[in-house]
Amino acid sequence: MTLPLEFAGVAFASDLAAHGDRTAVLTGGRAVSYRELAQRVDDFAARLGTARRLALLAADNSLESLVAYLGALVAGHPLILAPAENDSAVRSLVAAYDPDVIVRPGPSGAELQELRPVSRHELHPDLALLLSTSGSTGSPKLVRLSQANLQSNAASIAEYLSISSADRAMTTLPMYYCYGLSVINSHLLQGAGLVLTSLSVVDDCFWQLFSDSGATSFAGVPYTFELLDRAGFSGKDLPGLRYITQAGGRLDPATVTRYAAQGRRDGWELYVMYGQTEATARMAYLPPSLAAAYPTTIGVPVPGGDFRIDPVPGLEDGELVYTGPNVMLGYAERPADLAAGRTVDELRTGDLARRHRNGLYEVVGRRSRFVKIVGLRIDLGQVEKNLAGLGVTAACAGTDRQLVVAVTGNHEPGLLAKLLAREFGLPRDAVEVHSVEQLPRLGTGKTDYQAVLALGAAAKSFAAAGPKTDGDGPADVRRIFADALERDDIGDDDTFVSLGGDSLSYVAASVRLEKALGGRLPSNWHVTPVRDLMGRQPERRRTRLLAPLDTSIVLRAVAIVVIISTHVELIQWPGTAHILMALAGYNFARFQLGGERIPRLRRQLRSLARVVIPTVAFIGAVMLFSDRINYTPANLVLLNTMIGPANWTDAWHFWFVEVLVYVLVGMIALLAIPWADRAEKRFPLVFPVALFGAGLLARYGLLGVDILHTRPVLWLFALGWAFARARTVPQRLVLSALTAATLPGYFDNPWREATIVAGILLLAWLPAIPLPAILHRLVGVLASASLYAYVTHWAVFQDVREIDKMLAVAASLAVGVVYWAVSVRAMGAAERLCRKILRRGA
């Protein structure tokens, strides 16, 4: 079937070139103009051809996905959008609809899997896009949207948000979700900019990108606002922010009021909105000026739309019905449905609503969220409201036999179940209440009611299920974190960093997670909530000779082997200890700088203690039980580098740990100062570069005073920190040039200096290093135990070296691994005991 004449495309896709050289997209450290984007879209449209075919795009928030989406619209090919990260959803949709071509984003552009040159489907001329009603599940029930739907809703949104070419939106939501897609469409229509990213709002890198890119807005679902609170959004300085939009479910009225007030204070606006995929995206919005006064309402219909309320027998409130040019063509559940034209002219939302005298609409419940248990009609939304009135956050689901409730917080499930049974007149055994860390959510942030319902079945089957013995999988993320961090209070919203994870525990967790998830981890896994990691689909397991392993892990493992081998005199390769100093700064930026100042300070002190305690404990043990190694009281307080002898003695065995502790204490103290904390958050790259500059004063001896008997290392620590904050190629190039310029002359040994440069540049430019997969576990263990092996090896190798030097290296590493395992368990047990004592005291 060839492209019909009446299919002229949608303006936001077909008229891109009209915006000329304005920036259309910022991604991966580069800017793409509208002219370039238009050319890319046209090129991709040409690849698809003129004969209409059914295409499926496995989409993510990348330039390649954006180009493929727009190219399909321009060429007139009906497109199914699916989540690229969810292989099972893609497979489900492919099986259900048998697309003619499958598109996936690739490293060098969109990749086409051509299944047939001519479509085997009958495709209606108006059909442009197919979206899942659930956003991410891969359900075969899709919403059929036309070009007119997409264009009209984009224009409507652009009108009430007053989007102009000066605006730039961050893509905080996936483009396969209708809300996220509407942000893209409305901004392209106006010649505005898009900042493509998959970063979470809890990641400091998100806010750095927001500021660096000149973004003016971002979108959020209710869960996003929970994350914003955790990320300390109220204290962020965002002078460029013009507005925030909210949709995807009802936002708690108190939160609406609070954010509206913050917006008035800080100079931005909050748009609370209402919509459904069946309406392309938006149906209503609440003018920002009314948000604080009417936080329970959804506002007024979007331009071009209209509401009415139809009575529902037996209910006080009626069903909200929407009409407008953005109402879908209808549903599709099988390929034959793709031939259908418009089957609906209005959208029965399924929401119960009322209209206030001032013209604002309020949604008060869900018509479909009723169950009939023992003849009684139960409003699940009302159950949630009743519990909220008691201060209980809950999600309710049910069948005609049972009410299932998930609650968060320290509440007694049995007592709540009795209360609900009595209040709603139900038999006690018809009510189940389950205590959960966090309410289950879909990838879009909405409450996952199917997961709530599954709690009932899961509770019945759990006792019959034996312990898992076949290794880690996605569901074991919480257990992996618990093992690595020695904690038993892992919640769904927790991240590795928020739980106190640091560079020492990072290695053990990342190696096991890679195995559990079946492939390379995302670069920001350490700030990704547990829920999202558990929701990742494991890659199909296949035998691989080589597999990538995080460069920082490889460097730590190699460095400790080289350091010990050099001390044993098996080889001579100095310099790797100074690579570890830069790596310490790199990891400090990754793990120790997120969140608010006081919780962050506690986390930093905890990590510092994990360095100091095992070192001091071992030094004390050697001083008590060995007369062969001469350590001093200065070693015991880690001050030998300051007050000990300037010449090399046994007391210098711990110079690296001592200097690292000095730097960490200095940085923790500096960031505890409010103005320094604000400066680091506002200028995340400039701050470490300034420290690097200050450190160079000591490195070149310009301070006129030297309190340490060793070479200054602050500048190396700050350099690693800066590389962790660099987000663009030009930034890394500048830092690389500084590395190459400042290391010569640091030692009177060009080989040693070249080693340090090479290690730092590997860390900066190579995220992962391919290694034989069989070695990953060993490398991970060595990296995890690197500090402990460094601390203990002087007491191990000196006698063994006389027998065999390689044996001395192996013995030193083995003792370090054992000391690491014992120390981590002991410190974890101590921390758990302290938490229990504090909880009892509270």
Side-chain angles (χ1 to χ4, degrees):
M1 180 184 294
T2 56
L3 182 64
L5 275 174
E6 67 268 26
F7 198 110
V10 286
F12 63 76
S14 59
D15 295 345
L16 295 169
H19 301 295
D21 292 323
R22 293 196 62 82
T23 298
V25 175
L26 290 165
T27 182
R30 63 169 302 222
V32 178
S33 71
Y34 269 94
R35 194 182 311 280
E36 180 184 349
L37 180 61
Q39 185 59 56
R40 287 177 177 237
V41 168
D42 289 344
D43 290 346
F44 184 79
R47 290 174 65 192
L48 287 175
T50 57
R52 290 186 84 207
R53 294 183 292 171
L54 178 64
L56 182 145
L57 170 61
D60 57 17
N61 286 358
S62 67
L63 179 61
E64 292 73 25
S65 289
L66 177 63
V67 168
Y69 161 64
L70 297 172
L73 291 181
V74 167
H77 298 274
L79 183 67
I80 301 172
L81 281 184
E85 75 277 6
N86 190 334
D87 288 338
S88 65
V90 173
R91 288 194 297 269
S92 173
L93 290 169
V94 169
Y97 285 93
D98 188 21
D100 304 307
V101 57
I102 298 173
V103 186
R104 289 184 171 88
S108 57
E111 299 173 351
L112 298 186
Q113 182 182 352
E114 303 269 5
L115 301 180
R116 60 189 69 90
V118 178
S119 181
R120 66 171 49 172
H121 306 294
E122 184 179 351
L123 305 171
H124 192 276
D126 290 342
L127 182 62
L129 189 67
L130 295 130
L131 296 177
S132 171
T133 58
S134 55
S136 63
T137 63
S139 166
K141 184 174 183 179
L142 301 178
V143 171
R144 294 183 291 116
L145 299 174
S146 69
Q147 54 198 3
N149 291 151
L150 296 170
Q151 178 67 20
S152 64
N153 204 227
S156 176
I157 293 168
E159 179 181 339
Y160 72 74
L161 291 179
S162 301
I163 298 174
S164 74
S165 59
D167 283 307
R168 282 184 183 170
M170 295 282 284
T171 55
T172 44
L173 301 169
M175 69 176 293
Y176 57 77
Y177 174 35
C178 71
Y179 183 12
L181 192 64
S182 72
V183 174
I184 291 173
N185 296 345
S186 56
H187 280 73
L188 292 179
L189 179 66
Q190 299 300 100
L194 295 169
V195 184
L196 296 181
T197 180
S198 297
L199 292 170
S200 168
V201 295
V202 299
D203 191 335
D204 288 342
C205 300
F206 176 92
W207 299 109
Q208 179 182 351
L209 179 61
F210 188 97
S211 298
D212 291 349
S213 62
T216 60
S217 67
F218 64 91
V221 296
Y223 178 52
T224 307
F225 288 80
E226 294 179 25
L227 297 180
L228 288 173
D229 287 343
R230 290 184 56 204
F233 177 75
S234 62
K236 294 192 181 297
D237 183 16
L238 302 170
L241 178 60
R242 189 169 76 81
Y243 64 84
I244 302 173
T245 62
Q246 182 273 319
R250 182 177 183 267
L251 186 61
D252 178 67
T255 304
V256 173
T257 302
R258 179 160 53 86
Y259 272 82
Q262 183 184 338
R264 285 197 307 272
R265 182 194 73 200
D266 294 343
W268 49 266
E269 294 182 312
L270 173 67
Y271 284 86
V272 175
M273 308 188 301
Y274 167 78
Q276 292 179 3
T277 309
E278 289 84 345
T280 310
R282 304 276 67 80
M283 289 185 281
Y285 73 100
L286 179 61
S289 60
L290 302 177
Y294 303 98
T296 62
T297 70
I298 61 171
V300 298
V302 299
D306 197 16
F307 283 134
R308 75 169 188 272
I309 297 177
D310 285 355
V312 176
L315 295 178
E316 180 180 350
D317 297 296
E319 182 180 10
L320 189 65
V321 181
Y322 176 80
T323 56
N326 52 317
V327 172
M328 66 176 177
L329 298 174
Y331 291 110
E333 297 188 65
R334 59 191 64 84
D337 295 336
L338 306 181
R342 180 169 291 280
T343 57
V344 296
D345 294 309
E346 60 184 19
L347 178 59
R348 306 195 71 84
T349 66
D351 287 327
L352 302 176
R354 60 183 64 143
R355 184 180 186 275
H356 294 270
R357 291 181 180 179
N358 57 8
L360 300 180
Y361 287 82
E362 179 180 358
V363 171
V364 296
R366 181 77 182 153
R367 183 174 183 175
S368 61
R369 293 207 69 220
F370 287 86
V371 292
K372 201 172 223 181
I373 303 175
V374 296
L376 297 175
R377 187 178 173 90
I378 305 299
D379 180 351
L380 299 177
Q382 189 60 47
V383 175
E384 293 176 355
K385 287 183 179 179
N386 286 15
L387 289 171
L390 298 173
V392 180
T393 300
C396 304
T399 66
D400 287 345
R401 294 183 177 180
Q402 191 173 51
L403 176 67
V404 182
V405 184
V407 299
T408 63
N410 297 320
H411 304 289
E412 174 53 49
L415 183 60
L416 289 177
K418 283 184 180 180
L419 184 151
L420 291 174
R422 184 170 64 250
E423 187 166 348
F424 289 91
L426 295 172
R428 171 63 186 85
D429 60 2
V431 181
E432 277 194 19
V433 177
H434 299 271
S435 181
V436 296
E437 290 285 344
Q438 298 289 338
L439 297 181
R441 299 187 186 277
L442 299 168
T444 58
K446 294 183 177 181
T447 301
D448 187 347
Y449 286 107
Q450 287 301 313
V452 174
L453 191 60
L455 289 173
K460 293 179 178 63
S461 62
F462 183 75
K468 185 170 179 175
T469 59
D470 58 348
D472 297 323
D476 295 294
V477 171
R478 187 178 283 106
R479 179 159 58 89
I480 292 171
F481 278 17
D483 292 346
L485 300 173
E486 290 292 321
R487 298 184 62 146
D488 54 8
D489 55 344
I490 314 293
D492 285 350
D493 282 332
D494 288 326
T495 69
F496 179 79
V497 170
S498 72
L499 289 166
D502 55 20
S503 61
L504 296 176
S505 48
Y506 170 84
V507 180
S510 63
V511 171
R512 286 184 63 188
L513 282 175
E514 281 199 349
K515 185 177 180 181
L517 300 180
R520 182 176 165 189
L521 295 174
S523 60
N524 65 335
W525 74 262
H526 54 292
V527 291
T528 300
V530 168
R531 173 189 299 104
D532 295 345
L533 289 173
M534 292 175 66
R536 285 177 60 87
Q537 293 297 315
E539 295 181 8
R540 183 168 35 181
R541 300 199 183 260
R542 57 188 185 276
T543 302
R544 293 183 296 178
L545 178 61
L546 296 177
L549 188 61
D550 188 298
T551 298
S552 67
I553 296 175
V554 177
L555 285 176
R556 284 173 60 178
V558 170
I560 192 59
V561 172
V562 170
I563 288 169
I564 294 175
S565 298
T566 298
H567 291 168
V568 172
E569 298 178 356
L570 178 65
I571 62 173
Q572 284 299 316
W573 195 347
T576 50
H578 289 79
I579 295 175
L580 291 180
M581 188 60 66
L583 181 56
Y586 183 83
N587 284 330
F588 184 79
R590 294 172 80 191
F591 305 120
Q592 301 300 326
L593 298 181
E596 292 299 297
R597 183 165 55 92
I598 300 304
R600 183 182 66 192
L601 177 61
R602 295 194 194 100
R603 192 167 67 246
Q604 291 168 342
L605 292 174
R606 177 179 177 271
S607 293
L608 180 63
R610 294 183 65 187
V611 175
V612 172
I613 292 173
T615 303
V616 171
F618 184 79
I619 292 171
V622 171
M623 291 176 68
L624 283 174
F625 301 113
S626 174
D627 55 5
R628 186 167 47 83
I629 301 178
N630 297 314
Y631 294 149
T632 69
N635 287 122
L636 201 57
V637 291
L638 301 181
L639 289 177
N640 179 76
T641 313
M642 282 190 181
I643 64 176
N647 58 306
W648 181 266
T649 67
D650 289 349
W652 273 82
H653 288 174
F654 305 99
W655 75 265
F656 176 85
V657 179
E658 291 180 358
V659 172
L660 176 61
V661 168
Y662 303 159
V663 172
L664 290 175
V665 169
M667 295 304 98
I668 292 171
L670 176 62
L671 292 172
I673 303 171
W675 66 261
D677 173 57
R678 290 192 298 270
E680 190 280 325
K681 287 181 177 178
R682 185 168 185 180
F683 306 107
L685 178 58
V686 174
F687 192 88
V689 170
L691 287 174
F692 171 73
L696 287 180
L697 297 178
R699 180 255 181 274
Y700 287 108
L702 301 177
L703 294 178
V705 61
D706 187 3
I707 62 172
L708 302 180
H709 300 321
T710 186
R711 287 175 175 82
V713 296
L714 173 61
W715 67 286
L716 285 173
F717 183 92
L719 188 60
W721 181 346
F723 269 118
R725 290 309 203 193
R727 291 292 172 265
T728 66
V729 170
Q731 289 171 350
R732 290 201 298 273
L733 283 172
V734 170
L735 291 174
S736 299
L738 289 173
T739 303
T742 52
L743 265 160
Y746 186 50
F747 294 99
D748 295 326
N749 185 334
W751 171 255
R752 190 173 192 176
E753 293 158 359
T755 295
I756 300 171
V757 170
I760 293 174
L761 295 185
L762 270 177
L763 185 66
W765 292 97
L766 199 61
I769 296 176
L771 288 180
I774 197 172
L775 293 180
H776 280 210
R777 187 77 179 189
L778 174 62
V779 173
V781 169
L782 290 177
S784 296
S786 56
L787 170 72
Y788 303 84
Y790 184 91
V791 168
T792 60
H793 78 284
W794 291 103
V796 176
F797 76 77
Q798 298 191 34
D799 289 334
V800 184
R801 177 173 57 182
E802 303 305 321
I803 303 172
D804 184 84
K805 292 181 179 180
M806 290 190 66
L807 179 62
V809 173
S812 298
L813 292 171
V815 170
V817 169
V818 171
Y819 189 49
W820 160 65
V822 171
S823 297
V824 168
R825 294 293 182 274
M827 288 188 289
E831 288 178 8
R832 288 194 297 274
L833 179 61
C834 289
R835 282 196 291 271
K836 288 180 181 178
I837 293 172
L838 290 174
R839 279 199 291 267
R840 287 198 194 104

